[in-house]
Amino acid sequence: MPRKRKRHLPQSDRSFFTHLSQLVSHWAGKPQTFFGAAALIVIWALSGPLFNFNDSWQLVINTSTTIVTFLMVFIIQNSQNRDTAAMQIKLDELILKLEGAREELLDLEELDEEKIERFRSEFEEMAAKARQALQEVAAEEKAATSTKK
């Protein structure tokens, strides 16, 4: 089976933190990383009897997991912010290219919660009307086929 080639884009303008967070996010999301972390926990648990389950033994796992968790929060948030911004730009581009699209939706993510909720309600109403129309068409088709029998 041919191996998938990695995409190499000219991204030399990325900051050190962006580059680091992309590498860590990519690395952290691999199954090998999960199994490595699980193996470390098993090794730590099995080493308990050697250290008589003392406070230092517990402190090792508590401190290391706290530090890793604390740092991963920032890495994950940075990655999520970048992904959301990129997706938003792509959606904005699609909205601009669609004929009849409402351009006031382009920066929807910048509005406050109340205004977003108004748009959501409007779209929920449109969806309800569309479902109702679909149900009416289905009922008409069912009635038409039952009268033909």
Side-chain angles (χ1 to χ4, degrees), residues 36 40-41 47 57 80 82-83 92 98-99 132-134 143:
L40 281 174
I41 291 171
S47 70
W57 173 78
Q80 190 172 20
R82 270 192 335 274
D83 290 347
D92 287 348
L98 289 174
E99 190 173 318
Q132 181 64 35
L134 189 61

Side-chain angles (χ1 to χ4, degrees), residues 32-139:
Q32 299 92 321
T33 306
F34 169 79
F35 290 118
L40 281 174
I41 291 171
V42 168
I43 291 168
W44 170 81
L46 292 174
S47 70
L50 295 173
F51 296 97
N52 295 321
F53 299 101
N54 66 20
D55 291 342
S56 296
W57 173 78
Q58 291 180 16
L59 190 62
V60 166
I61 198 71
N62 291 342
T63 303
S64 59
T65 56
T66 300
I67 290 169
V68 168
T69 302
F70 179 74
L71 294 175
M72 286 303 292
V73 165
F74 298 104
I75 297 294
I76 291 167
Q77 187 63 51
N78 179 270
S79 179
Q80 190 172 20
N81 289 349
R82 270 192 335 274
D83 290 347
T84 300
M87 187 182 313
Q88 197 60 52
I89 291 167
K90 291 173 185 179
L91 288 172
D92 287 348
E93 177 67 13
L94 290 173
I95 290 170
L96 282 172
K97 297 299 178 186
L98 289 174
E99 190 173 318
R102 295 171 29 188
E103 292 182 3
E104 67 267 19
L105 299 177
L106 285 174
D107 66 347
L108 195 61
E109 71 279 1
E110 301 299 328
L111 299 177
D112 61 15
E113 196 65 34
E114 181 181 307
K115 291 177 183 173
I116 290 174
E117 193 55 43
R118 272 193 245 134
F119 278 114
R120 182 179 292 128
S121 296
E122 182 181 336
F123 278 95
E124 286 174 354
E125 287 175 25
M126 288 190 292
K129 287 177 184 175
R131 280 192 295 275
Q132 181 64 35
L134 189 61
Q135 287 174 347
E136 289 171 3
V137 168

